[in-house]
């Protein structure tokens, strides 16, 4: 019998591709960070932790998965509302891998609230923060110019707000209106509005800025509730009018602006005076001024006529002044003579009185003054002397020296 032999060909097995844990984690890290540069992720905040360093750590979860999120300190400061456990948010950032644990995570750069409740909470939080910083203080509000010539308008070209504003504005006042088109809702709208405010301020020849859009939901108006818009309006050198939404709508932009208008048409009435009404008022004022000037002219003519009647020639005035001067001289002379006469009579009276009480008058009647020498004491009684004393006798004229021979006092 023939013998058959079968040989099975040898199949060469491929070599195994073996990675270390670090290598595999590195490859995964490269793939994720290369192909997912930035992403938006929606979820519910879970296991929220605010670190002492200012960083915020939490997870985003839905009903089937969990994603770790890190919000670094600088980014955390820009979030315009407080993060709370269970809050639904939309996070924007980039995917990163933490190689020591083989864990991928989201490095958040921006967080937005999801749902009306979260949006309202974010609005109230930012509003309170800016109020504490003085962004709404009336003292920093700039007045609007009464007659603006050049106005910059920041709004969407496709909205009804611009049409309503222009319709009223152009019917009231002849001004130059510069339109700076922006998106008024959606991604990047807030940044466009803020840049528009800064660019219009740099132009240098505008009188004021209007920021406006039509009404909408809280989510539709979200661009006007962002910190970046509030900061731009607060720094504006030009006065800013905010007319966002309908009468019942209020935004952060409204509170920071120098003036708030409830609607775009109301903004036109607030910014521009009505030319026809101004002209009518001016005509009325001119008429009143003309009447007042005519009344004053009549009064001045009467005053002038009265003054002319009282007006005299220089010669007449000079003669009157000379006569008045002559009269005054005569009056002064009479007064002086009278005064001198009275003083003379007074002098003579005093002289007579002095003469009557003068010692000389007594001496002239035969009396003498006796003094005891050498002291010169006046002798009033005889017993004040004794024999041998030297006496000086003063009659009315001359003097006599005598010596006492004998003293005879009065008998007792």
């Amino acid at each position: 019998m023939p013998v058959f032999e079968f040989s099975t060909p040898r199949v060469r097995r491929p070599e195994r591709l073996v990675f270390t844990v670090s290598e595999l984690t590195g490859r995964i890290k490269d793939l994720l960070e290369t192909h997912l540069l930035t992403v938006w992720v929606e979820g519910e905040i879970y296991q929220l932790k605010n670190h002492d360093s200012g960083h915020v750590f939490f997870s985003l979860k839905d009903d089937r998965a969990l994603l770790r999120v890190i919000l670094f300190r600088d980014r955390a400061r820009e979030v315009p509302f407080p993060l709370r456990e269970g809050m639904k948010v939309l996070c924007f950032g980039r995917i990163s891998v933490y190689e020591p644990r083989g864990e991928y995570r989201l490095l958040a750069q921006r967080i937005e609230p999801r749902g009306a409740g979260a949006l309202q909470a974010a609005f109230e939080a930012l509003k309170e923060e800016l109020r504490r910083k003085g962004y709404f203080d009336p003292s920093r509000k700039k007045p609007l110019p009464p007659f603006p010539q050049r106005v910059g308008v920041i709004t969407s070209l496709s909205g009804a707000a611009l049409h309503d504003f222009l319709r009223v504005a152009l019917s009231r006042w002849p001004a130059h209106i510069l339109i700076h088109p922006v998106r008024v809702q959606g991604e990047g709208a807030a940044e466009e509005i803020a840049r528009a405010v800064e660019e219009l301020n740099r132009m240098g020849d505008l009188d004021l800025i209007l920021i406006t859009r039509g009404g909408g939901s809280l989510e539709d108006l979200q661009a006007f509730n962002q910190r970046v818009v509030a900061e731009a309006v607060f720094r504006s050198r030009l006065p800013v009018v905010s007319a966002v939404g309908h009468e019942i709508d209020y935004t952060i932009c409204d509170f920071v602006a120098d003036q708030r208008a409830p609607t775009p048409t109301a903004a036109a009435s607030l910014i521009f005076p009505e030319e026809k009404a101004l002209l009518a008022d001016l005509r009325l004022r001119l008429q009143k001024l003309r009447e007042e000037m005519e009344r004053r002219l009549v009064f001045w003519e009467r005053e002038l006529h009265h003054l002319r009647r009282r007006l005299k020639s220089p010669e007449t005035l000079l003669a009157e002044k000379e006569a008045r001067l002559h009269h005054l001289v005569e009056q002064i002379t009479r007064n002086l003579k009278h005064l001198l006469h009275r003083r003379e009579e007074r002098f003579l009276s005093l002289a007579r009185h002095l003469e009557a009480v003068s010692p000389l008058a007594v001496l002239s009647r035969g009396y003498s003054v006796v003094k005891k020498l050498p002291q010169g004491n006046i002798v009033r009684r005889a017993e004040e002397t004794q024999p041998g004393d030297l006496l000086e006798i003063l009659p009315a004229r001359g003097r006599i020296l005598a010596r006492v021979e004998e003293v005879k006092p009065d008998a007792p």
Side-chain angles (χ1 to χ4, degrees):
M1 292 181 64
V3 178
F4 297 95
E5 293 182 359
F6 296 91
S7 62
T8 302
R10 297 180 64 184
V11 178
R12 186 177 182 180
R13 294 181 177 179
E15 295 183 3
R16 294 178 178 177
L17 183 60
V18 180
F19 294 95
T20 65
V21 175
S22 299
E23 289 173 342
L24 180 59
T25 304
R27 291 286 294 274
I28 294 174
K29 174 181 173 68
D30 292 340
L31 288 172
L32 287 176
E33 294 183 359
T34 301
H35 292 84
L36 290 176
L37 297 179
T38 55
V39 292
W40 284 95
V41 184
E42 182 178 1
E44 180 181 316
I45 294 178
Y46 177 65
Q47 294 179 336
L48 177 67
K49 181 179 180 182
N50 294 294
H51 198 271
D52 294 340
S53 63
H55 306 321
V56 181
F57 302 90
F58 60 93
S59 297
L60 284 180
K61 71 170 186 175
D62 56 19
D63 56 350
R64 292 189 301 173
L66 194 74
L67 172 64
R68 296 287 296 168
V69 180
I70 299 177
L71 183 65
F72 290 115
R73 178 177 56 197
D74 292 342
R75 296 293 185 178
R77 291 173 178 170
E78 298 176 359
V79 178
F81 59 95
L83 299 177
R84 294 194 300 269
E85 190 83 15
M87 178 183 288
K88 290 185 178 181
V89 294
L90 190 63
C91 293
F92 173 78
R94 60 183 181 87
I95 296 295
S96 175
V97 175
Y98 184 57
E99 296 184 59
R101 295 184 182 177
E103 178 183 87
Y104 73 92
R105 58 198 181 176
L106 177 68
L107 303 182
Q109 300 175 11
R110 179 176 174 182
I111 300 180
E112 296 179 357
R114 300 292 286 176
L119 289 174
Q120 186 64 35
F123 172 85
E124 295 297 338
L126 181 59
K127 177 184 173 184
E128 177 60 21
E129 176 190 344
L130 297 180
R131 183 194 65 78
R132 290 196 308 269
K133 291 182 176 180
Y135 279 45
F136 309 154
D137 287 352
S139 60
R140 58 153 294 272
K141 303 287 186 181
K142 295 179 284 296
L144 303 185
F147 308 109
Q149 299 300 313
R150 290 176 59 84
V151 175
V153 179
I154 300 173
T155 190
S156 170
L157 293 178
S158 60
L162 178 61
H163 176 268
D164 293 341
F165 171 77
L166 291 176
R167 175 176 53 82
V168 177
L170 297 178
S171 68
R172 292 177 64 89
W173 188 253
H176 180 82
I177 299 175
L178 175 65
I179 301 171
H180 194 304
V182 295
R183 287 179 291 173
V184 292
Q185 70 182 75
E187 179 65 23
E191 288 75 14
E192 283 190 23
I193 295 168
R195 284 196 300 271
V197 173
E198 294 169 354
E199 290 171 3
L200 291 181
N201 269 273
R202 285 196 294 268
M203 292 185 64
D205 60 347
L206 295 179
D207 296 316
L208 63 88
I209 295 173
L210 169 67
I211 302 174
T212 187
R213 68 150 286 165
S217 65
L218 183 60
E219 187 171 4
D220 293 336
L221 304 179
Q222 191 60 16
F224 300 89
N225 290 325
Q226 298 299 312
R227 182 188 302 274
V228 64
V229 173
E231 295 285 353
V233 173
F234 182 76
R235 293 192 304 265
S236 175
R237 175 183 54 82
L238 297 171
V240 176
V241 175
S242 177
V244 178
H246 297 304
E247 293 187 8
I248 60 173
D249 297 323
Y250 278 86
T251 66
I252 297 296
C253 182
D254 293 331
F255 291 113
V256 182
D258 299 293
Q259 288 279 354
R260 184 247 178 190
T263 62
T265 53
S269 299
L270 174 67
I271 293 172
F272 298 111
E274 189 173 7
E275 184 181 20
K276 294 179 181 178
L278 280 178
L279 289 175
D281 181 66
L282 182 60
R283 293 190 188 97
L284 179 61
R285 290 174 181 269
L286 287 174
Q287 178 63 29
K288 290 183 178 179
L289 180 61
R290 186 180 297 110
E291 293 174 359
E292 177 64 17
M293 292 301 296
E294 290 176 354
R295 185 187 67 81
R296 293 194 178 190
L297 184 59
V298 171
F299 172 77
W300 290 336
E301 287 179 345
R302 290 175 181 173
E303 285 292 307
L304 181 60
H305 178 70
H306 178 67
L307 291 174
R308 282 176 176 171
R309 292 178 59 186
R310 295 178 56 189
L311 186 63
K312 300 178 181 179
S313 65
E315 293 80 5
T316 303
L317 289 174
L318 182 59
E320 291 180 353
K321 296 297 182 182
E322 287 179 348
R324 175 63 176 165
L325 180 60
H326 180 70
H327 173 72
L328 290 175
V329 170
E330 288 183 345
Q331 186 177 8
I332 292 172
T333 302
R334 286 196 301 270
N335 291 339
L336 284 176
K337 287 181 178 180
H338 179 68
L339 180 61
L340 288 174
H341 178 69
R342 291 183 58 190
R343 293 300 172 87
E344 184 179 5
E345 288 182 346
R346 176 64 175 164
F347 175 76
L348 292 175
S349 174
L350 291 175
R352 286 191 296 269
H353 179 71
L354 286 175
E355 184 178 359
V357 298
S358 172
L360 297 177
V362 177
L363 295 177
S364 64
R365 292 198 297 272
Y367 292 93
S368 299
V369 177
V370 178
K371 292 183 179 181
K372 184 179 179 180
L373 299 179
Q375 290 83 4
N377 298 329
I378 295 176
V379 178
R380 294 178 175 82
R381 293 177 300 174
E383 54 265 29
E384 292 179 359
T385 65
Q386 58 185 357
D389 289 343
L390 182 63
L391 302 178
E392 180 183 22
I393 302 171
L394 299 174
R397 290 178 176 273
R399 56 194 293 266
I400 301 170
L401 294 177
R403 191 170 301 271
V404 179
E405 294 290 338
E406 183 181 359
V407 177
K408 295 181 178 181
D410 291 338

